[in-house]
Amino acid sequence: MSLEIIIVLTIMGIAIVLFISNRIRVDLVGLMVMGSLAVLGIVSPADALSGFSNPAVITVWAVLILSGGLARTGIASNIGKFLLRLAGDNETKLLLIIMLTSGLLSGFMNSIGVASLYLPVVLDIARRTKRSPSRYLMPLAFSSLLGGLNTLIGTPSNILISEALADAGLKPFQMFDYTPVGLSILIGGTLYMVLAGRYLLPKTGIFDNFEKGSSKISDYYDFQERMAFVHIPANSTLEGKSLQESHLGAALELNVLTILRDHETISAPDQSFILHAGDRLLVQGQMDRLSSIYNQEHLLIEEEQLPVEKIYSAEIQLAEAAVMPGSSLVGLTLRQVAFRHVYKVIVLAIRRDNETFYTNLEEMTLRANDRLLVKGHQADLQLLEDAEDLELFRKDSYSDYHLDDRLMMVRVPEDSLLAGSTLADSRLGDAFGLSVQGIINDQSTELMPPPNQLIQGGDILIIKGSPDDLQTIQGLQSLVVETQVNPDLADLETEDTGVIEAVLSPHSRLSGSKVREMDFRSRYGLTILAIWRGGRAYRSHLRDMDIKMGDALLLFGTRRKLRRFGTEPDFLVLREEILPPYRTKKAPLALLTLALVMIPAIFNWLPIAISAVAGVVLMILTGCLTMDEAYRYIEWQAVFLIAGMLPLGIALEQTGAAQLLSDSLLHLVGTSNPVLLATGLFLLATLGSQIMPNPAVAVLLAPIALNAASASGISPYPLMMTIAVSASAAFLSPVGHSATILVMGPGGYKFTDYTKVGLPLTIIVWGVIILIMPFIWPY
C-alpha cells in the first residue's frame, strides 16, 4: 500500500467520521477534503477545483431552480389537491394518491421540494378527515425519495452516477434509463405502505386527537392547565409600563395572548403595549412560577446609589476595552462571543457614539470602536491587553460612566425564592437586566461572583441596574391569578387572531439558532406557544431552546402578521390559506420550459447541464421565478458538498485506492456471484446514506463499483444503478434525508418509528434490485 493511498484513505475516513459526528457542517467537510487533497499534492489544483465546473454540479443547482419554478407556479400543489379531492375520505385511496403523485412529481422536482409543497395539503386533509397526519406524512417523505429514482434529474445521486460513467469513458445513463427500476421500486414501496406499512405507523402525534373527534388545539398541546387570567391590581408598579418592560415573558416565561380592559379586548398585543391597573391578561405558560412569587418579598432594597468603589478593590479593577476596527467581534453579541467565559471579565457598560448602554448588554451587537467598561482580576485584565480584537485603556476615574446612579444594595430574605439558587438560575440578568456585581455575607465578600455562585438567605447583593427594574419585580409579585375562569386556547381563533403551525423550511439558515437569538417576537410579531419535537410538546423554557430541522412551532398572532409570516423564506407554514399565492398564470410557461429542458436531453441534442441552465434562464425571463427566489431554491450546502467531494473520487481512482477497496470487497463476496457483489454495494450505500449525505455516498462508491465491475468481468451498469438507487434509500432514520426530517415534527414521529417502518421498505428495495435489475441491466 503506497503512501498516497494511505493519505487518501485517511482523509476519507476522517470525512466519514465528521459526517457521522455532525460537529462540522457537511459542506465545510467537503471543502476540507478538497483543500487537503490539493495541499498534500494528491490531486492537482485543476482537479481540486474541477468540482465547481463539473456538469453534475451545474445540473444539480439548475434542477433545483427548475423545481422551484414548478413550485411557485402551483403546478405540483394544484395537481395534488385535485387528485386528493377525488380520493375523498378513504384512507387507502388517500395514501395511494399521496404516494403515487408525490413520487411521480419527484422524478422532475427536488424531493424535498415536493415534500414541502405537499406538507400543508396533507395536514389540511388530516384536519378535514379527523385523522392523525402521522398516517400520511412518513409515506409522503418516503415516496418523494422513491420517486426521485425515476429519472436522471430526480436526485443528485442519479446525476453523479451518470457523470461518473461518462468520466470513465462509458455511455452515461440517459433521462429515463432509471425509470424501469425506479418505477418498480415506487410501485413496490407504495403497495407495501398501503397493505402493511401503514399499520406500523404511529397513531399519535400533534393531531392525534382528531381521530377522537376533537379539533381543539388545546387538546393535543395540553394547554388547559397552562392558561389563566391574571389581574393587575390598583397601585401596581406595572402601571404605565410596556409589555416588554414588564418582563412577564423574560422573567416568568408567560406569553400574553389577550388583554381585557373595561369592555375592550386587545388580541395579540405587541411588546410596546402599555399596561394599566385593572387590566386582565390572558397568559400562557407555567403558572407555578407566578404563584410562587405572589405576595412575596424576594429582594429588599437596603441602599440605593452606591459609590462605584464598592464594586472593585486592589485585586478587582476596572478598565476600558475598545473594539478594534476589523475585529472578529464586530457583528456578534457578547452572548455569542461568550465574552465572560473567554476573557474572564464582566462588561458593566458599552459606550457608543457618546451614548452609554447599561442593560441587555448580552444581546447588543458589537460595532467597531465600541468602548466596553469591564471589571476583572488584575491578571485577567493583563491578558486582555494582549487580545488582538480589543485595545485596553486604564483611567484614574470612571465617573463619566455615572455608575453610582445604577448601583444598589439589596438583601435576600430567608424565605426568598432566590435563596438556594445560583446566579444563573436566578435569571436576574436575563430576565431583568440586573447584574450582580458582588455578594456579601458573614463569611466573605465576593466582587467577581461566578454564574454558579449560590445565593443564600441573608446575602447582601450589590446590583447594577435601574430601581425601576426592582419596582417591576414588585409589580410581578402583586399579580393576582384568577382561578375561577378556565380559558381555552381554541377561543383565540377569531376574525383578527389565529394559531398556526410552522416548520423550518429546507432552505432555512436558522437551524440551530436559539429563540432568544432570533428575537422571534420582535422580528415576526408572533408568539411561540409550544415546540413539538421527538414526539412530545415543549411548552416552557422555549427562549433557550435551539430551533432544529423537523421541529414544529405553534404560533399565535394577528392574522395580518400570520399572513406576512407565510412569506418568510426561512419557515414553511403548515396551513394553506396562510401561504403566499402561487403564480398560476405562469404554470403553462413553467411546463413548457420543463419540456424544453427534457426534450434535448432525451434525444441527446444537448447535454443535460446545458439544457437545464437554459431552462433556468427561461424560468426567470418568463416571470415564473424571480432571481432572488432562484438563488433561494439552490441548496448551496449540497452544491459545495458535491464540489468538494468530487476531487476525492478522482483521488481514489488516480492513487489506486478505489482498486484496493474494490479488491477487498471482491475478496469478501467473491467474483463468481454478481448478486452478492450488488448486495454488498447495496448495504454499503444504504447504511452510508443513513449517516452521510447521499451525494457523498455516490461519489465515494462510484469508483469502487467501476473497479469491482472491471475486476470481476461484469457490466458496470447494474452496479452503478444499484448505488444510485440505494444511496437514496434513506428510510432507516430521520437524519438520512431532509424530507424525512421535515415531517418528523408535524407527524409527531420518534426516531424508532423510521426504523420500524423503513426497514421492511429497505428490504423491498433490495428485493427489487436483485429480482428485476438483471432483466433490465444484465450483469
PDB file of all heavy atoms in Angstrom, residues 27-53:
ATOM      1  N   ASP A  27     -20.985  20.789   4.164  1.00  0.00           N
ATOM      2  CA  ASP A  27     -20.347  21.498   3.059  1.00  0.00           C
ATOM      3  C   ASP A  27     -18.923  21.907   3.422  1.00  0.00           C
ATOM      4  O   ASP A  27     -18.017  21.878   2.583  1.00  0.00           O
ATOM      5  CB  ASP A  27     -21.176  22.712   2.631  1.00  0.00           C
ATOM      6  CG  ASP A  27     -21.621  23.571   3.800  1.00  0.00           C
ATOM      7  OD1 ASP A  27     -21.428  23.155   4.956  1.00  0.00           O
ATOM      8  OD2 ASP A  27     -22.178  24.665   3.565  1.00  0.00           O
ATOM      9  N   LEU A  28     -18.720  22.252   4.700  1.00  0.00           N
ATOM     10  CA  LEU A  28     -17.364  22.584   5.146  1.00  0.00           C
ATOM     11  C   LEU A  28     -16.468  21.352   5.128  1.00  0.00           C
ATOM     12  O   LEU A  28     -15.277  21.442   4.785  1.00  0.00           O
ATOM     13  CB  LEU A  28     -17.406  23.193   6.550  1.00  0.00           C
ATOM     14  CG  LEU A  28     -16.065  23.647   7.134  1.00  0.00           C
ATOM     15  CD1 LEU A  28     -15.387  24.637   6.213  1.00  0.00           C
ATOM     16  CD2 LEU A  28     -16.267  24.256   8.519  1.00  0.00           C
ATOM     17  N   VAL A  29     -17.041  20.190   5.474  1.00  0.00           N
ATOM     18  CA  VAL A  29     -16.268  18.943   5.390  1.00  0.00           C
ATOM     19  C   VAL A  29     -15.819  18.712   3.944  1.00  0.00           C
ATOM     20  O   VAL A  29     -14.673  18.344   3.686  1.00  0.00           O
ATOM     21  CB  VAL A  29     -17.096  17.748   5.904  1.00  0.00           C
ATOM     22  CG1 VAL A  29     -16.348  16.432   5.660  1.00  0.00           C
ATOM     23  CG2 VAL A  29     -17.399  17.904   7.382  1.00  0.00           C
ATOM     24  N   GLY A  30     -16.733  18.929   2.984  1.00  0.00           N
ATOM     25  CA  GLY A  30     -16.381  18.765   1.581  1.00  0.00           C
ATOM     26  C   GLY A  30     -15.240  19.681   1.165  1.00  0.00           C
ATOM     27  O   GLY A  30     -14.303  19.263   0.467  1.00  0.00           O
ATOM     28  N   LEU A  31     -15.287  20.937   1.600  1.00  0.00           N
ATOM     29  CA  LEU A  31     -14.218  21.873   1.266  1.00  0.00           C
ATOM     30  C   LEU A  31     -12.908  21.495   1.958  1.00  0.00           C
ATOM     31  O   LEU A  31     -11.824  21.686   1.396  1.00  0.00           O
ATOM     32  CB  LEU A  31     -14.632  23.297   1.659  1.00  0.00           C
ATOM     33  CG  LEU A  31     -15.821  23.888   0.876  1.00  0.00           C
ATOM     34  CD1 LEU A  31     -16.180  25.269   1.401  1.00  0.00           C
ATOM     35  CD2 LEU A  31     -15.510  23.953  -0.613  1.00  0.00           C
ATOM     36  N   MET A  32     -13.013  20.960   3.176  1.00  0.00           N
ATOM     37  CA  MET A  32     -11.810  20.493   3.878  1.00  0.00           C
ATOM     38  C   MET A  32     -11.159  19.347   3.108  1.00  0.00           C
ATOM     39  O   MET A  32      -9.924  19.278   2.989  1.00  0.00           O
ATOM     40  CB  MET A  32     -12.172  20.055   5.299  1.00  0.00           C
ATOM     41  CG  MET A  32     -12.527  21.195   6.238  1.00  0.00           C
ATOM     42  SD  MET A  32     -13.291  20.611   7.778  1.00  0.00           S
ATOM     43  CE  MET A  32     -11.975  19.623   8.460  1.00  0.00           C
ATOM     44  N   VAL A  33     -11.982  18.429   2.590  1.00  0.00           N
ATOM     45  CA  VAL A  33     -11.459  17.316   1.799  1.00  0.00           C
ATOM     46  C   VAL A  33     -10.751  17.838   0.555  1.00  0.00           C
ATOM     47  O   VAL A  33      -9.617  17.433   0.237  1.00  0.00           O
ATOM     48  CB  VAL A  33     -12.607  16.352   1.417  1.00  0.00           C
ATOM     49  CG1 VAL A  33     -12.147  15.356   0.355  1.00  0.00           C
ATOM     50  CG2 VAL A  33     -13.116  15.616   2.643  1.00  0.00           C
ATOM     51  N   MET A  34     -11.410  18.745  -0.155  1.00  0.00           N
ATOM     52  CA  MET A  34     -10.828  19.312  -1.373  1.00  0.00           C
ATOM     53  C   MET A  34      -9.498  19.998  -1.078  1.00  0.00           C
ATOM     54  O   MET A  34      -8.495  19.786  -1.768  1.00  0.00           O
ATOM     55  CB  MET A  34     -11.801  20.313  -1.992  1.00  0.00           C
ATOM     56  CG  MET A  34     -11.307  20.981  -3.263  1.00  0.00           C
ATOM     57  SD  MET A  34     -12.407  22.326  -3.797  1.00  0.00           S
ATOM     58  CE  MET A  34     -12.001  23.553  -2.537  1.00  0.00           C
ATOM     59  N   GLY A  35      -9.472  20.839  -0.035  1.00  0.00           N
ATOM     60  CA  GLY A  35      -8.253  21.556   0.309  1.00  0.00           C
ATOM     61  C   GLY A  35      -7.124  20.634   0.732  1.00  0.00           C
ATOM     62  O   GLY A  35      -5.961  20.831   0.342  1.00  0.00           O
ATOM     63  N   SER A  36      -7.468  19.601   1.520  1.00  0.00           N
ATOM     64  CA  SER A  36      -6.441  18.674   1.997  1.00  0.00           C
ATOM     65  C   SER A  36      -5.788  17.927   0.843  1.00  0.00           C
ATOM     66  O   SER A  36      -4.562  17.768   0.798  1.00  0.00           O
ATOM     67  CB  SER A  36      -7.068  17.673   2.978  1.00  0.00           C
ATOM     68  OG  SER A  36      -7.624  18.335   4.084  1.00  0.00           O
ATOM     69  N   LEU A  37      -6.594  17.464  -0.104  1.00  0.00           N
ATOM     70  CA  LEU A  37      -6.056  16.722  -1.243  1.00  0.00           C
ATOM     71  C   LEU A  37      -5.135  17.593  -2.093  1.00  0.00           C
ATOM     72  O   LEU A  37      -4.101  17.132  -2.587  1.00  0.00           O
ATOM     73  CB  LEU A  37      -7.206  16.187  -2.102  1.00  0.00           C
ATOM     74  CG  LEU A  37      -8.063  15.083  -1.471  1.00  0.00           C
ATOM     75  CD1 LEU A  37      -9.295  14.813  -2.321  1.00  0.00           C
ATOM     76  CD2 LEU A  37      -7.259  13.801  -1.295  1.00  0.00           C
ATOM     77  N   ALA A  38      -5.507  18.861  -2.250  1.00  0.00           N
ATOM     78  CA  ALA A  38      -4.678  19.763  -3.061  1.00  0.00           C
ATOM     79  C   ALA A  38      -3.393  20.142  -2.341  1.00  0.00           C
ATOM     80  O   ALA A  38      -2.307  20.126  -2.929  1.00  0.00           O
ATOM     81  CB  ALA A  38      -5.477  21.017  -3.418  1.00  0.00           C
ATOM     82  N   VAL A  39      -3.498  20.487  -1.063  1.00  0.00           N
ATOM     83  CA  VAL A  39      -2.323  20.914  -0.296  1.00  0.00           C
ATOM     84  C   VAL A  39      -1.302  19.783  -0.178  1.00  0.00           C
ATOM     85  O   VAL A  39      -0.080  20.008  -0.266  1.00  0.00           O
ATOM     86  CB  VAL A  39      -2.740  21.407   1.101  1.00  0.00           C
ATOM     87  CG1 VAL A  39      -1.521  21.599   2.003  1.00  0.00           C
ATOM     88  CG2 VAL A  39      -3.517  22.712   0.995  1.00  0.00           C
ATOM     89  N   LEU A  40      -1.777  18.548  -0.010  1.00  0.00           N
ATOM     90  CA  LEU A  40      -0.871  17.399   0.137  1.00  0.00           C
ATOM     91  C   LEU A  40      -0.379  16.872  -1.209  1.00  0.00           C
ATOM     92  O   LEU A  40       0.380  15.899  -1.245  1.00  0.00           O
ATOM     93  CB  LEU A  40      -1.579  16.285   0.917  1.00  0.00           C
ATOM     94  CG  LEU A  40      -1.919  16.620   2.383  1.00  0.00           C
ATOM     95  CD1 LEU A  40      -2.755  15.524   3.008  1.00  0.00           C
ATOM     96  CD2 LEU A  40      -0.646  16.850   3.190  1.00  0.00           C
ATOM     97  N   GLY A  41      -0.828  17.480  -2.291  1.00  0.00           N
ATOM     98  CA  GLY A  41      -0.332  17.099  -3.611  1.00  0.00           C
ATOM     99  C   GLY A  41      -0.912  15.804  -4.151  1.00  0.00           C
ATOM    100  O   GLY A  41      -0.379  15.245  -5.111  1.00  0.00           O
ATOM    101  N   ILE A  42      -2.018  15.355  -3.580  1.00  0.00           N
ATOM    102  CA  ILE A  42      -2.639  14.113  -4.061  1.00  0.00           C
ATOM    103  C   ILE A  42      -3.325  14.353  -5.404  1.00  0.00           C
ATOM    104  O   ILE A  42      -3.322  13.493  -6.282  1.00  0.00           O
ATOM    105  CB  ILE A  42      -3.639  13.569  -3.021  1.00  0.00           C
ATOM    106  CG1 ILE A  42      -2.952  13.355  -1.662  1.00  0.00           C
ATOM    107  CG2 ILE A  42      -4.263  12.268  -3.513  1.00  0.00           C
ATOM    108  CD1 ILE A  42      -1.815  12.371  -1.698  1.00  0.00           C
ATOM    109  N   VAL A  43      -3.948  15.506  -5.564  1.00  0.00           N
ATOM    110  CA  VAL A  43      -4.547  15.871  -6.847  1.00  0.00           C
ATOM    111  C   VAL A  43      -3.985  17.234  -7.248  1.00  0.00           C
ATOM    112  O   VAL A  43      -3.525  18.012  -6.410  1.00  0.00           O
ATOM    113  CB  VAL A  43      -6.093  15.936  -6.780  1.00  0.00           C
ATOM    114  CG1 VAL A  43      -6.679  14.578  -6.441  1.00  0.00           C
ATOM    115  CG2 VAL A  43      -6.549  16.983  -5.756  1.00  0.00           C
ATOM    116  N   SER A  44      -4.029  17.533  -8.503  1.00  0.00           N
ATOM    117  CA  SER A  44      -3.552  18.824  -8.998  1.00  0.00           C
ATOM    118  C   SER A  44      -4.548  19.916  -8.617  1.00  0.00           C
ATOM    119  O   SER A  44      -5.726  19.632  -8.365  1.00  0.00           O
ATOM    120  CB  SER A  44      -3.391  18.778 -10.510  1.00  0.00           C
ATOM    121  OG  SER A  44      -4.668  18.641 -11.132  1.00  0.00           O
ATOM    122  N   PRO A  45      -4.106  21.183  -8.587  1.00  0.00           N
ATOM    123  CA  PRO A  45      -5.051  22.270  -8.297  1.00  0.00           C
ATOM    124  C   PRO A  45      -6.242  22.286  -9.250  1.00  0.00           C
ATOM    125  O   PRO A  45      -7.369  22.570  -8.840  1.00  0.00           O
ATOM    126  CB  PRO A  45      -4.184  23.530  -8.459  1.00  0.00           C
ATOM    127  CG  PRO A  45      -2.800  23.072  -8.142  1.00  0.00           C
ATOM    128  CD  PRO A  45      -2.709  21.668  -8.677  1.00  0.00           C
ATOM    129  N   ALA A  46      -5.986  21.968 -10.528  1.00  0.00           N
ATOM    130  CA  ALA A  46      -7.088  21.948 -11.506  1.00  0.00           C
ATOM    131  C   ALA A  46      -8.106  20.874 -11.152  1.00  0.00           C
ATOM    132  O   ALA A  46      -9.322  21.098 -11.217  1.00  0.00           O
ATOM    133  CB  ALA A  46      -6.539  21.716 -12.907  1.00  0.00           C
ATOM    134  N   ASP A  47      -7.624  19.680 -10.762  1.00  0.00           N
ATOM    135  CA  ASP A  47      -8.540  18.601 -10.374  1.00  0.00           C
ATOM    136  C   ASP A  47      -9.264  18.948  -9.074  1.00  0.00           C
ATOM    137  O   ASP A  47     -10.435  18.586  -8.880  1.00  0.00           O
ATOM    138  CB  ASP A  47      -7.776  17.294 -10.201  1.00  0.00           C
ATOM    139  CG  ASP A  47      -7.416  16.649 -11.534  1.00  0.00           C
ATOM    140  OD1 ASP A  47      -8.075  16.986 -12.541  1.00  0.00           O
ATOM    141  OD2 ASP A  47      -6.468  15.837 -11.571  1.00  0.00           O
ATOM    142  N   ALA A  48      -8.564  19.636  -8.156  1.00  0.00           N
ATOM    143  CA  ALA A  48      -9.192  20.003  -6.880  1.00  0.00           C
ATOM    144  C   ALA A  48     -10.365  20.944  -7.088  1.00  0.00           C
ATOM    145  O   ALA A  48     -11.385  20.852  -6.403  1.00  0.00           O
ATOM    146  CB  ALA A  48      -8.157  20.636  -5.945  1.00  0.00           C
ATOM    147  N   LEU A  49     -10.233  21.837  -8.043  1.00  0.00           N
ATOM    148  CA  LEU A  49     -11.287  22.823  -8.301  1.00  0.00           C
ATOM    149  C   LEU A  49     -12.268  22.377  -9.374  1.00  0.00           C
ATOM    150  O   LEU A  49     -13.239  23.088  -9.665  1.00  0.00           O
ATOM    151  CB  LEU A  49     -10.658  24.153  -8.720  1.00  0.00           C
ATOM    152  CG  LEU A  49      -9.743  24.825  -7.677  1.00  0.00           C
ATOM    153  CD1 LEU A  49      -9.072  26.042  -8.267  1.00  0.00           C
ATOM    154  CD2 LEU A  49     -10.543  25.202  -6.435  1.00  0.00           C
ATOM    155  N   SER A  50     -12.045  21.214  -9.967  1.00  0.00           N
ATOM    156  CA  SER A  50     -12.880  20.762 -11.082  1.00  0.00           C
ATOM    157  C   SER A  50     -14.323  20.517 -10.680  1.00  0.00           C
ATOM    158  O   SER A  50     -15.217  20.543 -11.525  1.00  0.00           O
ATOM    159  CB  SER A  50     -12.290  19.481 -11.697  1.00  0.00           C
ATOM    160  OG  SER A  50     -12.288  18.416 -10.741  1.00  0.00           O
ATOM    161  N   GLY A  51     -14.549  20.284  -9.391  1.00  0.00           N
ATOM    162  CA  GLY A  51     -15.914  20.023  -8.950  1.00  0.00           C
ATOM    163  C   GLY A  51     -16.851  21.179  -9.219  1.00  0.00           C
ATOM    164  O   GLY A  51     -18.036  20.977  -9.521  1.00  0.00           O
ATOM    165  N   PHE A  52     -16.331  22.400  -9.150  1.00  0.00           N
ATOM    166  CA  PHE A  52     -17.199  23.563  -9.336  1.00  0.00           C
ATOM    167  C   PHE A  52     -17.613  23.749 -10.785  1.00  0.00           C
ATOM    168  O   PHE A  52     -18.603  24.438 -11.065  1.00  0.00           O
ATOM    169  CB  PHE A  52     -16.489  24.819  -8.817  1.00  0.00           C
ATOM    170  CG  PHE A  52     -16.346  24.848  -7.328  1.00  0.00           C
ATOM    171  CD1 PHE A  52     -15.136  24.535  -6.721  1.00  0.00           C
ATOM    172  CD2 PHE A  52     -17.428  25.161  -6.514  1.00  0.00           C
ATOM    173  CE1 PHE A  52     -15.005  24.547  -5.344  1.00  0.00           C
ATOM    174  CE2 PHE A  52     -17.308  25.175  -5.144  1.00  0.00           C
ATOM    175  CZ  PHE A  52     -16.090  24.861  -4.552  1.00  0.00           C
ATOM    176  N   SER A  53     -16.866  23.172 -11.716  1.00  0.00           N
ATOM    177  CA  SER A  53     -17.248  23.259 -13.132  1.00  0.00           C
ATOM    178  C   SER A  53     -17.774  21.934 -13.651  1.00  0.00           C
ATOM    179  O   SER A  53     -18.075  21.818 -14.842  1.00  0.00           O
ATOM    180  CB  SER A  53     -16.047  23.696 -13.971  1.00  0.00           C
ATOM    181  OG  SER A  53     -14.985  22.752 -13.856  1.00  0.00           O
TER     182      SER A  53
END
